[in-house]
Amino acid sequence: MNSKLTGIAIAAAVAAVLALVYWPAPDGGTPQAGAAAAGAPPGRSLASYLAIDAAAAAGAAPVPVTLAQQLARLGASGKPEDAYAAYNLLDDCISFEKEGRLPGLEFELGREMTAEEKAAQRQLCAGLTQRQREDRLDYLATAAKAGVPGAATLFLSEGPFGDRSALRNRPDDPLVQAWKRQAIAQLTAQADEAELTSVSTLMMAYLRDGDVVHKDAPQAYGYLLALRLVYDDILAPGVTNPYQDEYWHWLQNELTPEQQAAASAKAQAIAAKFRQHTGRPAHG
């Protein structure tokens, strides 16, 4: 899971976690499903790491489901969300193989993995094959293309065909150029649909020259304003909005009045889409 905890992905995850924590449901109950979906990919519950076959006969010892069985079930569904879950299963195994723990899971749980959880993960990943390693990015590409929340950000974080060094070592390679166009197009489409991890990822990407895009202050400011509007709606009373001008006035100052107006229109459209998806009224 190293790729999920680096650079762009960290900040995107922070934005999603804030939404989950500070977004009360209309009836005062649990957060809405949309917030939960933004906060964690499918299959990230603790139970998923202690994979037990629910079909075991009554009174019989639970039978662990193998990695191959889980991947077969996920692949058979044809759902992009399950392709994303398959990517996460494999990515977790690769990370666990390297570190003997899952930093991403520990971040979500707010504690270290127990010995039982580590043993279950070790058993699950024992049969990891080279073919499964190679299939991992195909699962992610399927999820990102279909717009599964969070997948486009991880697609960018993984780099061209899983090789982040290619962005610096082979920047003029037509395949690398095509990958960059695909990565940005996927993120832009998701940001236009108010998927917060993509909005946050693009904001940070356009803040400075990078290996994928050049600095674009108007673009960055438009996504910043979108996040400000969304978090004005979802943050609890008294909680400071991290996207307010007090912290970002320097970016606004780089824009002409016309660029500021265009950025505001872009932000309003994204915020309106977010409210449409969540059934929230316009911020008043």
Side-chain angles (χ1 to χ4, degrees), residues 96-133:
F96 188 82
E97 194 176 63
K98 293 177 180 177
E99 302 189 37
R101 53 189 283 265
L102 294 176
L105 176 63
E106 292 180 343
F107 175 79
E108 292 172 15
L109 294 176
R111 60 169 175 78
E112 294 183 358
M113 296 176 69
T114 66
E116 179 188 17
E117 290 161 3
K118 289 182 179 180
Q121 187 69 32
R122 189 175 299 109
Q123 180 178 9
L124 174 67
C125 300
L128 181 65
T129 67
Q130 183 59 36
R131 176 59 183 271
Q132 289 168 343
R133 293 173 188 271

Short mmCIF file of all heavy atoms in Angstrom, two decimals, residues 96-133:
data_model
loop_
_atom_site.label_atom_id
_atom_site.label_comp_id
_atom_site.label_asym_id
_atom_site.label_seq_id
_atom_site.Cartn_x
_atom_site.Cartn_y
_atom_site.Cartn_z
N PHE A 96 2.26 -5.89 2.42
CA PHE A 96 2.50 -6.72 3.61
C PHE A 96 3.75 -7.56 3.43
O PHE A 96 4.50 -7.79 4.38
CB PHE A 96 1.29 -7.61 3.86
CG PHE A 96 1.34 -8.36 5.16
CD1 PHE A 96 0.96 -7.74 6.34
CD2 PHE A 96 1.78 -9.68 5.20
CE1 PHE A 96 1.02 -8.43 7.55
CE2 PHE A 96 1.85 -10.36 6.41
CZ PHE A 96 1.47 -9.73 7.59
N GLU A 97 3.98 -8.02 2.22
CA GLU A 97 5.16 -8.82 1.92
C GLU A 97 6.44 -8.02 2.20
O GLU A 97 7.45 -8.56 2.65
CB GLU A 97 5.11 -9.22 0.44
CG GLU A 97 6.06 -10.31 0.04
CD GLU A 97 5.85 -10.71 -1.40
OE1 GLU A 97 6.05 -9.86 -2.30
OE2 GLU A 97 5.45 -11.86 -1.66
N LYS A 98 6.38 -6.72 1.95
CA LYS A 98 7.56 -5.86 2.14
C LYS A 98 7.74 -5.42 3.59
O LYS A 98 8.85 -5.34 4.09
CB LYS A 98 7.44 -4.61 1.25
CG LYS A 98 7.51 -4.89 -0.24
CD LYS A 98 7.32 -3.60 -1.01
CE LYS A 98 7.38 -3.84 -2.52
NZ LYS A 98 7.13 -2.59 -3.29
N GLU A 99 6.62 -5.11 4.27
CA GLU A 99 6.70 -4.46 5.57
C GLU A 99 6.23 -5.31 6.74
O GLU A 99 6.48 -4.95 7.90
CB GLU A 99 5.93 -3.14 5.56
CG GLU A 99 6.40 -2.16 4.49
CD GLU A 99 5.74 -0.80 4.65
OE1 GLU A 99 5.53 -0.38 5.80
OE2 GLU A 99 5.44 -0.17 3.62
N GLY A 100 5.50 -6.38 6.47
CA GLY A 100 4.97 -7.18 7.56
C GLY A 100 3.83 -6.50 8.31
O GLY A 100 3.46 -6.90 9.41
N ARG A 101 3.24 -5.50 7.69
CA ARG A 101 2.12 -4.75 8.27
C ARG A 101 1.44 -4.01 7.14
O ARG A 101 1.95 -3.97 6.02
CB ARG A 101 2.59 -3.75 9.33
CG ARG A 101 3.67 -2.82 8.84
CD ARG A 101 4.27 -1.98 9.96
NE ARG A 101 3.41 -0.88 10.34
CZ ARG A 101 3.53 0.36 9.85
NH1 ARG A 101 4.47 0.65 8.94
NH2 ARG A 101 2.72 1.32 10.24
N LEU A 102 0.27 -3.45 7.42
CA LEU A 102 -0.46 -2.68 6.44
C LEU A 102 -0.64 -1.25 6.97
O LEU A 102 -1.56 -0.99 7.73
CB LEU A 102 -1.83 -3.31 6.15
CG LEU A 102 -1.80 -4.68 5.48
CD1 LEU A 102 -3.21 -5.23 5.34
CD2 LEU A 102 -1.14 -4.59 4.11
N PRO A 103 0.25 -0.33 6.60
CA PRO A 103 0.14 1.04 7.11
C PRO A 103 -1.20 1.68 6.83
O PRO A 103 -1.74 2.41 7.66
CB PRO A 103 1.28 1.76 6.37
CG PRO A 103 2.26 0.69 6.05
CD PRO A 103 1.43 -0.53 5.75
N GLY A 104 -1.76 1.43 5.64
CA GLY A 104 -3.05 2.02 5.31
C GLY A 104 -4.16 1.53 6.22
O GLY A 104 -5.01 2.30 6.65
N LEU A 105 -4.18 0.24 6.49
CA LEU A 105 -5.18 -0.32 7.39
C LEU A 105 -5.01 0.23 8.80
O LEU A 105 -5.98 0.58 9.47
CB LEU A 105 -5.09 -1.84 7.40
CG LEU A 105 -6.04 -2.55 8.38
CD1 LEU A 105 -7.49 -2.29 8.02
CD2 LEU A 105 -5.76 -4.05 8.41
N GLU A 106 -3.77 0.32 9.25
CA GLU A 106 -3.51 0.86 10.59
C GLU A 106 -3.95 2.31 10.69
O GLU A 106 -4.45 2.75 11.73
CB GLU A 106 -2.03 0.70 10.93
CG GLU A 106 -1.63 -0.76 11.12
CD GLU A 106 -0.16 -0.95 11.47
OE1 GLU A 106 0.63 0.00 11.25
OE2 GLU A 106 0.20 -2.02 11.96
N PHE A 107 -3.78 3.06 9.60
CA PHE A 107 -4.26 4.44 9.58
C PHE A 107 -5.77 4.49 9.73
O PHE A 107 -6.30 5.29 10.50
CB PHE A 107 -3.83 5.11 8.27
CG PHE A 107 -4.37 6.50 8.08
CD1 PHE A 107 -3.78 7.58 8.72
CD2 PHE A 107 -5.47 6.73 7.26
CE1 PHE A 107 -4.27 8.86 8.55
CE2 PHE A 107 -5.98 8.00 7.08
CZ PHE A 107 -5.38 9.08 7.73
N GLU A 108 -6.46 3.60 9.02
CA GLU A 108 -7.92 3.58 9.10
C GLU A 108 -8.41 3.11 10.47
O GLU A 108 -9.40 3.63 11.00
CB GLU A 108 -8.47 2.66 8.01
CG GLU A 108 -8.27 3.21 6.61
CD GLU A 108 -8.65 2.21 5.53
OE1 GLU A 108 -9.33 1.22 5.86
OE2 GLU A 108 -8.26 2.42 4.37
N LEU A 109 -7.70 2.13 11.05
CA LEU A 109 -8.12 1.59 12.35
C LEU A 109 -7.70 2.50 13.51
O LEU A 109 -8.27 2.44 14.59
CB LEU A 109 -7.52 0.21 12.56
CG LEU A 109 -7.98 -0.91 11.63
CD1 LEU A 109 -7.21 -2.19 11.92
CD2 LEU A 109 -9.47 -1.15 11.77
N GLY A 110 -6.67 3.31 13.29
CA GLY A 110 -6.15 4.16 14.36
C GLY A 110 -5.31 3.39 15.36
O GLY A 110 -5.15 3.81 16.51
N ARG A 111 -4.78 2.26 14.95
CA ARG A 111 -3.95 1.44 15.83
C ARG A 111 -3.12 0.49 14.98
O ARG A 111 -3.35 0.34 13.78
CB ARG A 111 -4.80 0.62 16.80
CG ARG A 111 -5.77 -0.33 16.10
CD ARG A 111 -6.40 -1.31 17.07
NE ARG A 111 -7.41 -2.16 16.44
CZ ARG A 111 -7.16 -3.20 15.66
NH1 ARG A 111 -5.90 -3.55 15.41
NH2 ARG A 111 -8.14 -3.93 15.15
N GLU A 112 -2.16 -0.18 15.62
CA GLU A 112 -1.37 -1.18 14.92
C GLU A 112 -2.17 -2.47 14.75
O GLU A 112 -3.10 -2.74 15.52
CB GLU A 112 -0.08 -1.47 15.69
CG GLU A 112 0.88 -0.29 15.76
CD GLU A 112 2.17 -0.64 16.47
OE1 GLU A 112 2.30 -1.80 16.94
OE2 GLU A 112 3.05 0.23 16.56
N MET A 113 -1.81 -3.26 13.77
CA MET A 113 -2.44 -4.55 13.57
C MET A 113 -2.09 -5.48 14.72
O MET A 113 -0.98 -5.45 15.24
CB MET A 113 -1.98 -5.18 12.26
CG MET A 113 -2.37 -4.42 11.02
SD MET A 113 -1.68 -5.17 9.50
CE MET A 113 -2.62 -6.71 9.42
N THR A 114 -3.05 -6.31 15.10
CA THR A 114 -2.80 -7.30 16.13
C THR A 114 -2.06 -8.49 15.52
O THR A 114 -1.99 -8.65 14.30
CB THR A 114 -4.11 -7.79 16.75
OG1 THR A 114 -4.86 -8.49 15.74
CG2 THR A 114 -4.93 -6.62 17.28
N ALA A 115 -1.53 -9.35 16.38
CA ALA A 115 -0.85 -10.56 15.91
C ALA A 115 -1.81 -11.43 15.11
O ALA A 115 -1.43 -12.04 14.10
CB ALA A 115 -0.28 -11.33 17.09
N GLU A 116 -3.08 -11.50 15.55
CA GLU A 116 -4.07 -12.31 14.84
C GLU A 116 -4.32 -11.75 13.44
O GLU A 116 -4.41 -12.50 12.46
CB GLU A 116 -5.39 -12.33 15.62
CG GLU A 116 -6.49 -13.14 14.92
CD GLU A 116 -7.85 -12.99 15.61
OE1 GLU A 116 -8.00 -12.02 16.39
OE2 GLU A 116 -8.73 -13.80 15.34
N GLU A 117 -4.42 -10.43 13.33
CA GLU A 117 -4.65 -9.81 12.04
C GLU A 117 -3.46 -10.01 11.10
O GLU A 117 -3.63 -10.26 9.90
CB GLU A 117 -4.93 -8.31 12.23
CG GLU A 117 -6.28 -8.05 12.89
CD GLU A 117 -6.39 -6.66 13.50
OE1 GLU A 117 -5.43 -5.86 13.38
OE2 GLU A 117 -7.42 -6.39 14.13
N LYS A 118 -2.26 -9.92 11.66
CA LYS A 118 -1.07 -10.15 10.84
C LYS A 118 -1.00 -11.60 10.36
O LYS A 118 -0.63 -11.87 9.21
CB LYS A 118 0.18 -9.78 11.62
CG LYS A 118 0.36 -8.28 11.85
CD LYS A 118 1.65 -7.98 12.59
CE LYS A 118 1.83 -6.49 12.79
NZ LYS A 118 3.08 -6.16 13.52
N ALA A 119 -1.37 -12.52 11.24
CA ALA A 119 -1.35 -13.94 10.87
C ALA A 119 -2.37 -14.20 9.76
O ALA A 119 -2.10 -14.96 8.82
CB ALA A 119 -1.65 -14.80 12.09
N ALA A 120 -3.56 -13.59 9.87
CA ALA A 120 -4.59 -13.78 8.85
C ALA A 120 -4.13 -13.19 7.51
O ALA A 120 -4.34 -13.79 6.45
CB ALA A 120 -5.89 -13.12 9.29
N GLN A 121 -3.49 -12.02 7.57
CA GLN A 121 -3.00 -11.41 6.33
C GLN A 121 -1.89 -12.24 5.71
O GLN A 121 -1.82 -12.42 4.49
CB GLN A 121 -2.50 -9.98 6.61
CG GLN A 121 -2.14 -9.19 5.37
CD GLN A 121 -3.36 -8.84 4.53
OE1 GLN A 121 -4.45 -8.64 5.06
NE2 GLN A 121 -3.20 -8.77 3.22
N ARG A 122 -1.02 -12.77 6.56
CA ARG A 122 0.08 -13.61 6.07
C ARG A 122 -0.47 -14.85 5.38
O ARG A 122 0.01 -15.27 4.33
CB ARG A 122 0.99 -13.98 7.24
CG ARG A 122 2.30 -14.68 6.83
CD ARG A 122 3.18 -14.91 8.03
NE ARG A 122 3.55 -13.65 8.68
CZ ARG A 122 3.09 -13.23 9.86
NH1 ARG A 122 2.24 -13.99 10.54
NH2 ARG A 122 3.47 -12.08 10.37
N GLN A 123 -1.49 -15.46 5.99
CA GLN A 123 -2.09 -16.65 5.41
C GLN A 123 -2.77 -16.32 4.08
O GLN A 123 -2.66 -17.06 3.10
CB GLN A 123 -3.10 -17.27 6.38
CG GLN A 123 -3.78 -18.52 5.85
CD GLN A 123 -4.75 -19.13 6.87
OE1 GLN A 123 -5.03 -18.52 7.89
NE2 GLN A 123 -5.25 -20.31 6.59
N LEU A 124 -3.48 -15.19 4.04
CA LEU A 124 -4.17 -14.78 2.83
C LEU A 124 -3.20 -14.57 1.68
O LEU A 124 -3.47 -14.97 0.54
CB LEU A 124 -4.95 -13.48 3.09
CG LEU A 124 -5.62 -12.85 1.88
CD1 LEU A 124 -6.76 -13.72 1.37
CD2 LEU A 124 -6.14 -11.46 2.22
N CYS A 125 -2.06 -13.96 1.96
CA CYS A 125 -1.13 -13.56 0.90
C CYS A 125 -0.09 -14.64 0.57
O CYS A 125 0.73 -14.43 -0.33
CB CYS A 125 -0.42 -12.27 1.31
SG CYS A 125 -1.55 -10.88 1.58
N ALA A 126 -0.12 -15.75 1.27
CA ALA A 126 0.91 -16.78 1.08
C ALA A 126 0.93 -17.31 -0.35
O ALA A 126 1.98 -17.69 -0.86
CB ALA A 126 0.70 -17.93 2.06
N GLY A 127 -0.24 -17.32 -1.01
CA GLY A 127 -0.30 -17.89 -2.35
C GLY A 127 -0.18 -16.86 -3.47
O GLY A 127 -0.52 -17.16 -4.62
N LEU A 128 0.28 -15.66 -3.16
CA LEU A 128 0.40 -14.60 -4.17
C LEU A 128 1.29 -15.05 -5.33
O LEU A 128 2.44 -15.46 -5.11
CB LEU A 128 0.96 -13.34 -3.53
CG LEU A 128 1.12 -12.11 -4.44
CD1 LEU A 128 -0.24 -11.62 -4.93
CD2 LEU A 128 1.86 -11.00 -3.69
N THR A 129 0.79 -14.96 -6.55
CA THR A 129 1.54 -15.41 -7.72
C THR A 129 2.01 -14.22 -8.56
O THR A 129 1.49 -13.10 -8.42
CB THR A 129 0.68 -16.32 -8.60
OG1 THR A 129 -0.39 -15.54 -9.18
CG2 THR A 129 0.10 -17.47 -7.81
N GLN A 130 2.95 -14.47 -9.46
CA GLN A 130 3.42 -13.42 -10.35
C GLN A 130 2.31 -12.95 -11.27
O GLN A 130 2.20 -11.75 -11.57
CB GLN A 130 4.62 -13.93 -11.18
CG GLN A 130 5.24 -12.89 -12.08
CD GLN A 130 5.75 -11.67 -11.32
OE1 GLN A 130 6.25 -11.79 -10.19
NE2 GLN A 130 5.60 -10.49 -11.92
N ARG A 131 1.47 -13.85 -11.72
CA ARG A 131 0.35 -13.46 -12.58
C ARG A 131 -0.59 -12.51 -11.85
O ARG A 131 -1.09 -11.53 -12.42
CB ARG A 131 -0.41 -14.71 -13.04
CG ARG A 131 -1.65 -14.41 -13.88
CD ARG A 131 -1.32 -13.63 -15.13
NE ARG A 131 -2.51 -13.27 -15.89
CZ ARG A 131 -3.04 -14.05 -16.83
NH1 ARG A 131 -2.50 -15.24 -17.11
NH2 ARG A 131 -4.11 -13.66 -17.49
N GLN A 132 -0.85 -12.78 -10.58
CA GLN A 132 -1.70 -11.89 -9.81
C GLN A 132 -1.07 -10.52 -9.64
O GLN A 132 -1.76 -9.49 -9.68
CB GLN A 132 -2.00 -12.53 -8.44
CG GLN A 132 -2.92 -13.73 -8.53
CD GLN A 132 -2.96 -14.52 -7.24
OE1 GLN A 132 -2.09 -14.40 -6.37
NE2 GLN A 132 -3.97 -15.38 -7.10
N ARG A 133 0.24 -10.48 -9.45
CA ARG A 133 0.94 -9.20 -9.37
C ARG A 133 0.75 -8.40 -10.65
O ARG A 133 0.54 -7.19 -10.62
CB ARG A 133 2.43 -9.43 -9.13
CG ARG A 133 2.80 -10.04 -7.79
CD ARG A 133 4.28 -10.38 -7.77
NE ARG A 133 4.66 -11.13 -6.59
CZ ARG A 133 5.04 -10.59 -5.44
NH1 ARG A 133 5.12 -9.27 -5.33
NH2 ARG A 133 5.36 -11.35 -4.40
#
